[in-house]
Amino acid sequence: MSGSTPPLTIDSPDPARRRFLQIAGQIAGTGLVAAPVAGSLLGASSSPVEAAQQSQQQSQRAAMPPASVTGRPMPQIQKPFPLPPQSRIGFAVVGLGKFALNQIIPSFAESKRSKLVALVSGNREKAEQVAGRYGVDRMAIYDYASFDSLADNAEVDVVYIILPNGLHAEYAIRAAKAGKHVMCEKPMASTVAECEAMIRASLRAGRKLMVAYRAQYEPFNMEAIRLAHSGDLGKLKLVVSDHGRNLNPSDPADQWRMSAKLAGGGALYDIGIYSLQAARYITGEEPEEIHAMIHSTRGDPRFREVEENVTFQLRFPSGVLANCSASYGYADTKRIMVQGSEASLTLDPATDYYEHKLTVTKGKTEERIKFQEGNQFALEMDHFAQSIQEDQPPRTPGEEGLQDVRLMQAIYEAARTGRAVKLEPRIPDVVADVP
Amino acid sequence: MSGSTPPLTIDSPDPARRRFLQIAGQIAGTGLVAAPVAGSLLGASSSPVEAAQQSQQQSQRAAMPPASVTGRPMPQIQKPFPLPPQSRIGFAVVGLGKFALNQIIPSFAESKRSKLVALVSGNREKAEQVAGRYGVDRMAIYDYASFDSLADNAEVDVVYIILPNGLHAEYAIRAAKAGKHVMCEKPMASTVAECEAMIRASLRAGRKLMVAYRAQYEPFNMEAIRLAHSGDLGKLKLVVSDHGRNLNPSDPADQWRMSAKLAGGGALYDIGIYSLQAARYITGEEPEEIHAMIHSTRGDPRFREVEENVTFQLRFPSGVLANCSASYGYADTKRIMVQGSEASLTLDPATDYYEHKLTVTKGKTEERIKFQEGNQFALEMDHFAQSIQEDQPPRTPGEEGLQDVRLMQAIYEAARTGRAVKLEPRIPDVVADVP
Amino acid sequence: MSGSTPPLTIDSPDPARRRFLQIAGQIAGTGLVAAPVAGSLLGASSSPVEAAQQSQQQSQRAAMPPASVTGRPMPQIQKPFPLPPQSRIGFAVVGLGKFALNQIIPSFAESKRSKLVALVSGNREKAEQVAGRYGVDRMAIYDYASFDSLADNAEVDVVYIILPNGLHAEYAIRAAKAGKHVMCEKPMASTVAECEAMIRASLRAGRKLMVAYRAQYEPFNMEAIRLAHSGDLGKLKLVVSDHGRNLNPSDPADQWRMSAKLAGGGALYDIGIYSLQAARYITGEEPEEIHAMIHSTRGDPRFREVEENVTFQLRFPSGVLANCSASYGYADTKRIMVQGSEASLTLDPATDYYEHKLTVTKGKTEERIKFQEGNQFALEMDHFAQSIQEDQPPRTPGEEGLQDVRLMQAIYEAARTGRAVKLEPRIPDVVADVP
Amino acid sequence: MSGSTPPLTIDSPDPARRRFLQIAGQIAGTGLVAAPVAGSLLGASSSPVEAAQQSQQQSQRAAMPPASVTGRPMPQIQKPFPLPPQSRIGFAVVGLGKFALNQIIPSFAESKRSKLVALVSGNREKAEQVAGRYGVDRMAIYDYASFDSLADNAEVDVVYIILPNGLHAEYAIRAAKAGKHVMCEKPMASTVAECEAMIRASLRAGRKLMVAYRAQYEPFNMEAIRLAHSGDLGKLKLVVSDHGRNLNPSDPADQWRMSAKLAGGGALYDIGIYSLQAARYITGEEPEEIHAMIHSTRGDPRFREVEENVTFQLRFPSGVLANCSASYGYADTKRIMVQGSEASLTLDPATDYYEHKLTVTKGKTEERIKFQEGNQFALEMDHFAQSIQEDQPPRTPGEEGLQDVRLMQAIYEAARTGRAVKLEPRIPDVVADVP
């Protein structure tokens, strides 16, 4: 990325003219605006078709529609203009698996500030095919041996890590050392130590680090957060959140998830993190006490190393309680429910890629709130791009990812011991560790 | 566009390898696949972080994840790869109003076979701003005076007409004369004669003509059609479809709609056409009898030239009846309902830009059928691009647009006379008119 | 019925005491009210169980809970008390078919003002069985030969006609002649002349006549009417209503419906009347113009005499249009939809016996409005009972039934001629016909 | 109750005749059955009205409809006939508070086997008013001093205890001693000892004891149980159930609920018992481990003695986990959700008095399952009546109520200690305690 950042907002149409049109429309109705147009265009005796058929004999000016019909000012833009390609932040995507190829890489087309400029893959043939289709320069294809030479590619601003969890720390740290901003899939890493090392590496490199918590950039979840904090639900009392799916051992994208070392954990690490995030972002608080239970079906080869089902309860300082679950064994579920003293909110599906349903129940009425579904991946990448362009911390920095890993470790401890785990009220300041 | 058309399908991953992975996953569980990886990668005593921190002293090969974790074969692709830019069909968009700028132009980013290569606008400044943001060459900006020189731009395969209805015929005919394929917004034109002239012009030019009936490319509507024709609903008996919105005289995009000459008609022409289309594509038949009523609020300046509310009834040869409406006076409504002898289908919203809800009711159960929402504009443009690439007629050619204009004229006649209008069972073959 | 009518409202609890309790509850919380109770009841050292086990040695006064826990004033009554049996209006049910036995007769148990006191049936054995179960005196069982001797049974205030439509007029007239109030199932009769004769007969007898339009006594429909008239939907523009079901020739209750003479008409008469009613009670207007289409499947033995499918369009004086349908050929459908300038209302199911779903859509929010389902049959009978007790005209008198028969005849005419049928703006005053 | 119990099933209509009618309907259509009827009734030249008007000059036989239209056999009965009053089980209702007067007493009208025959209240005036409206003999009004003389009223088979929880044990035991069957509201009592004493008292008296768990007699909950046990959801993994409402200190019916001694507990005892019940009846198992958290808002006078919010987690022997909550502080919520390996079930509202919504989600389809809402109170009372009539144990005997009290005490212990409470796998056999 180089230099100036053009604004995404557009030039306003001439306000005086816009006011004229409004008045014309309101007072005079259609006639005033359109009648002369139609008159001059279509004439009394000839249809537009006939006019067109004779257009070669006529001067072209005569056939032109007047400016009041065409050539109008810029209309109201509902979807902001994208930045021109040269002004966008360049992303290198590391790992060309199912999620990268089906969600992330296609989403660059819908982003406004981000562009795909490099690929990192251990499979050169696959990378070349992807590069060809998405217009990535073949010189910008890397493998894990040449990874560190991303440092030499000035087109790459951000390295987006989409690898098995157990590899996040290594490549995030190497990317920071290569002088790049890092965006990392969730969970941030397997251990607290890894997360802290990643944060330190980015700080030392003077680069930004963001964890890809897509739900925090998704419009329905943001509205749920707004409603929860607005007081419209009354005083919050309970958050319930459940996320599960059937781990599929015949899907290559699920195979590494059965390995404790590659995945860092089981259902909790992979999707329970959405339930945990929900409890945290809905309340806006950090839990101070955790209970948990784990059950894995005996003899199921999927669960030799990682857990199948987790339930966990959280207590927040304000007194809000949360009942959460995660499972690799139950059918697709992705929901968040919030009970307040005055009303209840249900977001179900809450964290789907494409569909969200938000309902607020108050007394005898249920209100369904609709927004246009947005591409949360594009929104997420654009948020990081904007953070970089404007040198602001991203909404979900490394510290946010670290806190979840810390809490997930506490959940495992609570389940193991059968005792409540008490947590310190604040996140220790990691920055202080930087020498 | 020139030459070869690469397939959108991707190279299959090595089937033998895929089978190995499946077997490994099913039989051995996670351990077999992942354990050695983890072992070689992470080691027994050192975390990946430590490993990463020491990576400068190590050879990079040692730090590389093995191919069983990274460098995997191409995963299952749910979203087909786009064609590379050079293989796509080039579109010139004519008219840069609200719909073009908010829906069509942003949708090229989600298309797989189409690209935006030229703009036609009477407002040069606006066109330059749009061109800059969407990467269109400034040399490819035209106005209505220079429109015919699109003929000289070999990048332009398709001219997409997004103008007030009254201008469709003229510019579609000029575009065909310029040797371009034409895609035209609905309704195709104001009169039957205009539609016929457009069809003839494209035939004479040896180019294709498609009417932009987006609903016929939208996944939920296509599923509704499939269900209606499958017999799952039993024998069809009734189609009900209602489309309405409040015409807003202060919205510049609605002002030309109040002019009879520019719009060709009122609520019927603009949105009643969706109800009419629904009755036709759900039944797969052409109506043989029409009744209609029209009511426009007296004194409402919006309805001096065009009608506010229309209800129309259709009888189809098989005996299916349809009750349809269109309105510029009632709040947003876009629904299709189908009553069969065994089950009922409701698609509501049916023709929204972003959201669709499909429900089948049979006895005491209601089944909600969900698909991923697709960008219907991108799908529609890609369909025409594919029609051109494969030299096939598009699904919604000019004759489809002509038939709706003919039927809408019959609806107006029925409303005017208070009598049933009987229709010929078949669409006369327009091609025969070509000399 | 004889004499006085006790009010359904209950004695208010002592206001002073109620206020004390509220204050106690609000200010002092639970302790003030309950603690002394608990103290005196449960004691410090003995559980209520122990106390109970020793109760034989104790005086019973000691074991009594004090008045602050038991013996409280009358609580808030949500379901009004029924009138005592002797104060209720006595009904004779004529016709013991499926509807009478499954809906009407069981509903007396939920009524507050009505009681079942006599049965008329051609099947003595069946009538005796029903009488036994529902506590009807065997002396109050009549057949069609002894029908007129209902005049001699002072317990019978109302004769409720639940016979095939073609028999309504005869028995309603005979009941009026017997000096009884008449409640008659819909449609009121087969012809306008029959309806007029029924009205005249009741007028001559000085007795009331009500048509059993249950939807007009059902809470969700009443709320839909209220919303439509309140302006909350803006200005009304369109009503859509569809009612259909599969006529089942193997169901004895459907067999007479296949006979034109017994049924008076087909789907329109039986269930299209609900669509027609909906258009009328939602708008609160009488239609001034009607179009219609009819289609019956050829060769289907169900439709030799009566029509299968009807669509009809109505125009109301205010400009509201209505698209309605009725069918004996499509799967169960019972819906009413109202499009206003500001919001839309959907009641679906609208006229089910047990379930109603009411939704108002305004902009991007859908509001579901819930009430407790009420027994509409009991409410309907109680309305008539109250009309009699208070000597007021019922909400749906004979004139209401006559108007629907007149309109249904116009619908048949419109369908037959393919022309709009224009209607007089007002219902002619039938009363004037009485000599 | 004395003697014989007539069956609720009805005499079948003559099968030969029924078969004839079916054949007639199917083969001949309507004509065969109805035409002669119509002919003989209506004649060729006279309308039924005219016929009726002339009926005084005619013999009544001539005007009678023939048996093929009227006098038909018994139709299919969807709602079973009630037992005649003299064959029903007589109930004495103890406590005339809000629940008794609004729910239980009106529900006798919809019961088939139960009747209200006696009242116990500390407020004579109120009891007389209720007795008058519901037809209870004034001699059958008791107060807490005369309670034990219920023994002398042979009309009373069952004593139904609807008192504050802390009084259940005393009056249940006294009722058993009076030789009556006992039906007791939930929770059964405050303590395990009380429950055991109640069971023993009924055993000693040779009378039945049932806890009024209405959800176990409610059709939607029974279908949810059936689905959960059927395997249609796959292997069960998780149950989530939440029940809450705002305790209202100004409602007299809520005041005793703020007293620990009268209520036995707070939100858990009152409504958390529905969540606990749900987890138990959905799984069909007894929990073996419990975690819990409690939070009550400080300074809220409602929660001086009883808890506001409880979350509890259960582990069942099969490995199913449950996340449950109860609250006196959040807005009305009554839901049960079941996650299976193949599908998910949501029942929400689950335990409302009037409305239930049951949805099964499997892959991309949501199936809504509808039943006619039934009066669960009438069903519940009729179940106990049938248990008595057929001398079978009720589905929810005292042991079921005891188990919930035992588990709720364990929930309190878990919350107090912050440790998992382990439970014995089986309910100890209380019967063995009987001397």
Side-chain angles (χ1 to χ4, degrees), chain B residues 218-239:
Chain B
E218 189 285 317
F220 285 83
N221 280 271
M222 293 176 78
E223 175 67 4
I225 295 169
R226 192 194 67 73
L227 282 165
H229 297 185
S230 71
D232 285 4
L233 309 179
K235 197 162 178 298
L236 299 192
K237 298 290 178 178
L238 177 73
V239 178

Side-chain angles (χ1 to χ4, degrees), chain B residues 250-267:
Chain B
S250 66
D251 181 348
D254 272 0
Q255 289 169 358
W256 65 263
R257 291 186 159 93
M258 299 184 288
S259 155
K261 286 199 179 164
L262 285 172

Side-chain angles (χ1 to χ4, degrees), chain C residues 92 94 120-122 142-153 156-161 163 166-184 188 194-209, chain D residues 40-42 47-66 70:
Chain C
V94 183
V120 180
S121 172
Y142 300 82
D143 64 17
Y144 296 95
S146 60
F147 180 90
D148 298 326
S149 58
L150 278 165
D152 306 326
N153 187 338
V156 174
D157 301 296
V158 174
V159 173
Y160 185 175
I161 312 285
L163 291 169
L167 306 179
H168 286 182
E170 174 181 355
Y171 288 94
I173 291 165
R174 285 167 64 177
K177 288 186 179 171
K180 303 302 181 186
H181 303 288
V182 172
M183 185 158 161
C184 182
M188 184 172 171
E194 286 177 332
C195 295
E196 290 174 344
M198 291 162 77
I199 293 169
R200 274 194 299 269
S202 287
L203 279 170
R204 281 183 189 131
R207 290 295 178 272
K208 296 185 190 300
L209 171 59
Chain D
S40 64
L41 171 65
L42 302 173
S47 81
V49 182
E50 292 161 355
Q53 288 167 332
Q54 298 160 8
S55 66
Q56 286 181 313
Q57 292 89 35
Q58 295 180 355
S59 84
Q60 287 185 320
R61 285 231 72 83
M64 275 179 57
T70 57

Side-chain angles (χ1 to χ4, degrees), chain A residues 248-306:
Chain A
N248 178 6
S250 66
D251 181 348
D254 272 1
Q255 288 168 359
W256 65 263
R257 291 186 159 91
M258 299 184 288
S259 154
K261 285 197 179 163
L262 285 171
L268 176 64
Y269 258 57
D270 189 29
I271 46 182
I273 196 171
Y274 290 110
S275 298
L276 177 59
Q277 275 272 305
R280 291 177 59 235
Y281 60 63
I282 290 292
T283 58
E285 298 184 80
E286 297 301 334
E288 60 183 22
E289 186 183 353
I290 295 178
H291 287 182
M293 286 184 183
I294 287 178
H295 176 79
S296 302
T297 302
R298 286 200 189 177
D300 188 324
R302 298 176 295 173
F303 308 120
R304 287 185 190 159
E305 302 192 9
V306 298

Side-chain angles (χ1 to χ4, degrees), chain C residues 81-354:
Chain C
F81 280 155
L83 288 186
Q86 69 278 11
S87 306
R88 297 188 182 194
I89 295 290
F91 280 66
V93 166
V94 183
L96 300 182
K98 187 173 158 187
F99 179 74
L101 285 176
N102 287 298
Q103 305 306 333
I104 298 305
I105 289 178
S107 296
F108 282 100
E110 295 180 67
S111 76
K112 309 292 182 195
R113 295 175 177 273
S114 311
K115 62 181 172 188
L116 178 66
V117 298
L119 302 173
V120 180
S121 172
N123 180 331
R124 177 86 196 175
E125 186 188 2
K126 176 174 65 170
E128 291 198 353
Q129 197 178 357
V130 173
R133 293 309 183 107
Y134 288 99
V136 173
D137 188 336
R138 299 206 168 188
M139 299 298 291
I141 298 176
Y142 300 82
D143 64 17
Y144 296 95
S146 60
F147 180 90
D148 298 326
S149 58
L150 278 165
D152 306 326
N153 187 338
E155 286 289 299
V156 174
D157 301 296
V158 174
V159 173
Y160 185 175
I161 312 285
I162 316 181
L163 291 169
N165 307 336
L167 306 179
H168 286 182
E170 174 181 355
Y171 288 94
I173 291 165
R174 285 167 64 177
K177 288 186 179 171
K180 303 302 181 186
H181 303 288
V182 172
M183 185 158 161
C184 182
E185 265 307 313
K186 38 60 53 185
M188 184 172 171
S190 297
T191 66
V192 166
E194 286 177 332
C195 295
E196 290 174 344
M198 291 162 77
I199 293 169
R200 274 194 299 269
S202 287
L203 279 170
R204 281 183 189 131
R207 290 295 178 272
K208 296 185 190 300
L209 171 59
M210 169 170 152
V211 182
Y213 285 122
R214 59 186 169 85
Q216 292 204 42
Y217 303 96
E218 188 284 315
F220 285 84
N221 280 271
M222 292 176 79
E223 174 67 3
I225 294 169
R226 192 195 66 74
L227 283 166
H229 297 184
S230 71
D232 286 3
L233 310 178
K235 196 162 178 296
L236 299 192
K237 299 290 178 179
L238 178 73
V239 177
V240 174
S241 185
D242 302 289
H243 284 83
R245 65 182 186 89
N246 260 303
L247 197 68
N248 179 6
S250 66
D251 181 348
D254 273 359
Q255 288 168 358
W256 64 263
R257 293 186 158 91
M258 299 184 290
S259 155
K261 285 197 180 164
L262 284 171
L268 177 64
Y269 257 58
D270 189 29
I271 46 182
I273 196 170
Y274 290 110
S275 298
L276 176 59
Q277 275 271 305
R280 292 178 59 235
Y281 58 64
I282 290 291
T283 60
E285 296 183 82
E286 295 302 333
E288 60 183 22
E289 187 184 351
I290 295 178
H291 287 182
M293 288 185 181
I294 287 179
H295 176 80
S296 301
T297 302
R298 286 200 190 177
D300 188 324
R302 298 177 296 173
F303 309 119
R304 287 188 190 160
E305 304 191 8
V306 298
E307 80 279 359
E308 179 185 8
N309 297 315
V310 190
T311 55
F312 55 99
Q313 289 180 285
L314 308 175
R315 181 196 301 279
F316 290 93
S318 68
V320 181
L321 304 178
N323 266 350
C324 299
S325 80
S327 177
Y328 269 165
Y330 60 67
D332 265 23
T333 301
K334 304 157 186 166
R335 72 183 164 216
I336 303 170
M337 294 175 290
V338 186
Q339 313 305 120
S341 58
E342 305 303 322
S344 304
L345 177 156
T346 297
L347 184 57
D348 182 12
T351 57
D352 193 68
Y353 291 161
Y354 311 113

Side-chain angles (χ1 to χ4, degrees), chain C residues 7-60:
Chain C
L8 286 184
T9 53
I10 60 163
D11 296 342
S12 306
D14 173 357
R17 174 165 174 76
R18 191 171 50 190
R19 191 156 148 270
F20 162 73
L21 287 170
Q22 286 172 349
I23 293 167
Q26 285 159 355
I27 299 182
T30 176
L32 232 168
V33 177
V37 172
S40 66
L41 171 67
L42 302 173
S45 59
S46 73
S47 81
V49 182
E50 291 162 356
Q53 288 168 334
Q54 297 161 9
S55 67
Q56 287 181 312
Q57 293 90 34
Q58 296 180 352
S59 85
Q60 285 184 323

Side-chain angles (χ1 to χ4, degrees), chain D residues 176 179-181 199-209 391:
Chain D
K180 302 302 181 185
H181 303 286
I199 293 170
R200 274 194 300 269
S202 288
L203 279 171
R204 280 183 189 131
R207 291 295 177 273
K208 295 186 191 299
L209 171 59
D391 196 14

